[in-house]
Amino acid sequence: CVKCKVQEATLESRSQPVCRPCFVKFIANKCIKQIGILGKELPTGGPTSTNTTRRYVLGLSRGVSSTALLHLLNKNVEFQLAKARTAPFELAVIYVDSSSLSSSLPSSEEDPLLPLRTRYPRFTYHTLPLSAALSLPAIDWSALPRLDPSLPPDQRIQSFFTSLPTAASRADILRLFTRHILLSTAVSLDAQALLLGHSTTALAELTLSETAKGRGFSLPWVINDGGVRYPFSYGEGEIGEGERKRILVYHPLRDALRKELVTYATLVEPPLTGLVGDQRAATDGAVVSHKDLSIEEVMFRYFAEVEESYPSVVANVARTTGKLVRLFNNEEGEVEQKGCGMCGVPLDGEGD
């Protein structure tokens, strides 16, 4: 092993032969570094909250990246408690269940988060249906197809997604609705930060997919860490400027590749593979028709190949995007202007 010079190298980390303990430590250090940066921004519980304990919300997809992030956060708390220190933060885990969009998904699993509750009991867990977005006044519903008010919530959201014309539009709105639900829940729980499990690979995919949609200007708000005001828009309906709360959005795994997290999930004891949801990879199976693929799925397939042979290319995409600066920011790095009711990007004087 090139790191410890003691144990036999059985794995490869960024083209270097390493042993199992050094690989696990390498991934843990990537996460802890980012959590430390976040902690420095919230030295006394955050800029708007009156509580003295840092309170975070973790957006869980039940994929390998967000599950690995949950495990790493738990290890961080265990380490601090073992040193006779107080827990560095409180964590609420939020899972947005979108299974109602597909009748082919099994519905026998009553509590999809039960294995996580059992393994990490110190955290609190919430499962919210995608239809929870229907009750959010922060979403600009005037920009979307009309909903059928006569249907129950789950059927209404399913009918809404069925009415969208392409796989790309459905994937796009699904991501935006999920983000709204996570931010709204984080604000209601008086959290100071929303943690997302995006890996370097996921951030690179999001970079190119947003650019392909003609929304490259939104990248600093979508990819970078920093503060946002939620709800995004104000001055309409029941939302006033005074009701917008500042919250930080962070990606603690932004320096780890997806393939590294997949390996990490198999190395920890016990492995995390049993905790990951039954999510079929987007690269499975042949493409029957490209119109059945969303832009996100195309990017997923592309970067799944690129990170195997050219991991530095993936890292460069995410790293370069991270250098982009948000416009209309104040000294605290947050948007003061009114934002788009869907994606949150600030609007100019003409409303664009």
Side-chain angles (χ1 to χ4, degrees):
C1 175
V2 297
K3 294 185 179 294
C4 67
K5 311 293 184 183
V6 177
Q7 299 197 42
E8 179 184 358
T10 58
L11 299 166
E12 186 177 278
S13 174
R14 307 294 170 100
S15 302
Q16 293 183 327
V18 296
C19 62
R20 176 173 175 167
C22 285
F23 185 91
V24 171
K25 184 178 180 180
F26 167 78
I27 296 298
N29 287 342
K30 293 288 186 183
C31 176
I32 299 307
K33 174 186 175 182
Q34 297 297 327
I35 292 297
I37 295 174
L38 172 59
K40 291 179 181 178
E41 293 206 31
L42 301 169
T44 57
T48 62
S49 177
T50 57
N51 61 42
T52 57
T53 302
R54 299 186 185 99
R55 184 175 297 165
Y56 302 155
V57 162
L58 168 62
L60 184 78
S61 67
R62 298 179 67 210
V64 65
S65 297
S66 60
T67 303
L69 177 55
L70 174 60
H71 177 81
L72 288 163
L73 293 172
N74 183 72
K75 296 292 288 185
N76 181 239
V77 173
E78 287 182 343
F79 176 80
Q80 299 293 340
L81 295 178
K83 296 289 185 179
R85 303 169 184 168
T86 58
F89 51 80
E90 298 175 358
L91 183 70
V93 181
I94 310 298
Y95 170 58
V96 179
D97 186 1
S98 60
S99 61
S100 61
L101 300 183
S102 175
S103 58
S104 62
L105 292 178
S107 58
S108 58
E109 193 176 19
E110 295 183 358
D111 183 4
L113 302 187
L114 181 59
L116 298 174
R117 297 176 192 269
T118 304
R119 184 158 172 177
Y120 310 112
R122 62 168 45 91
F123 303 136
T124 58
Y125 297 84
H126 306 268
T127 299
L128 300 174
L130 184 62
S131 58
L134 297 173
S135 62
L136 297 180
I139 296 178
D140 183 7
W141 294 103
S142 65
L144 299 171
R146 184 177 179 274
L147 298 169
D148 186 349
S150 65
L151 297 175
D154 283 347
Q155 294 182 24
R156 196 186 316 165
I157 200 75
Q158 185 179 32
S159 173
F160 167 78
F161 273 85
T162 302
S163 69
L164 297 176
T166 64
S169 61
R170 289 189 288 272
D172 196 41
I173 295 299
L174 175 60
R175 184 184 68 81
L176 292 173
F177 277 10
T178 301
R179 186 178 178 88
H180 270 279
I181 294 172
L182 292 175
L183 283 170
S184 175
T185 305
V187 168
S188 67
L189 294 175
D190 196 26
Q192 289 82 47
L194 168 62
L195 308 181
L196 301 176
H198 292 59
S199 62
T200 303
T201 315
L203 292 175
E205 294 167 4
L206 195 53
T207 295
L208 292 195
S209 63
E210 288 297 286
T211 304
K213 297 171 190 174
R215 294 206 299 256
F217 54 82
S218 70
L219 291 177
W221 290 273
V222 175
I223 305 296
N224 295 353
D225 297 335
V228 300
R229 289 278 181 178
Y230 190 84
F232 300 132
S233 60
Y234 62 91
E236 298 177 3
E238 300 177 356
I239 301 173
E241 168 61 0
E243 299 178 61
R244 303 173 77 217
K245 295 184 180 180
R246 181 175 184 256
I247 186 170
L248 298 175
V249 179
Y250 261 69
H251 308 81
L253 296 179
R254 64 182 308 117
D255 292 332
L257 296 169
R258 179 183 289 121
K259 69 173 185 177
E260 293 173 334
L261 296 173
V262 170
T263 301
Y264 175 82
T266 64
L267 298 180
V268 298
E269 293 293 342
L272 304 179
T273 49
L275 302 177
V276 177
D278 185 17
Q279 299 173 331
R280 187 177 64 180
T283 51
D284 289 352
V287 179
V288 178
S289 173
H290 286 284
K291 70 179 182 180
D292 296 329
L293 287 179
S294 67
I295 295 175
E296 286 79 3
E297 289 172 320
V298 173
M299 294 305 169
F300 184 98
R301 291 169 178 265
Y302 171 70
F303 279 105
E305 298 178 1
V306 172
E307 75 168 354
E308 287 296 329
S309 304
Y310 308 101
S312 61
V313 172
V314 182
N316 284 338
V317 172
R319 191 178 300 116
T320 302
T321 307
K323 297 178 181 179
L324 298 176
V325 179
R326 297 180 182 184
L327 296 178
F328 310 122
N329 281 353
N330 59 21
E331 294 180 356
E332 292 181 315
E334 63 191 34
V335 178
E336 293 184 318
Q337 274 78 0
K338 180 178 178 180
C340 169
M342 284 303 300
C343 67
V345 175
L347 305 178
D348 61 19
E350 298 180 356
D352 295 327

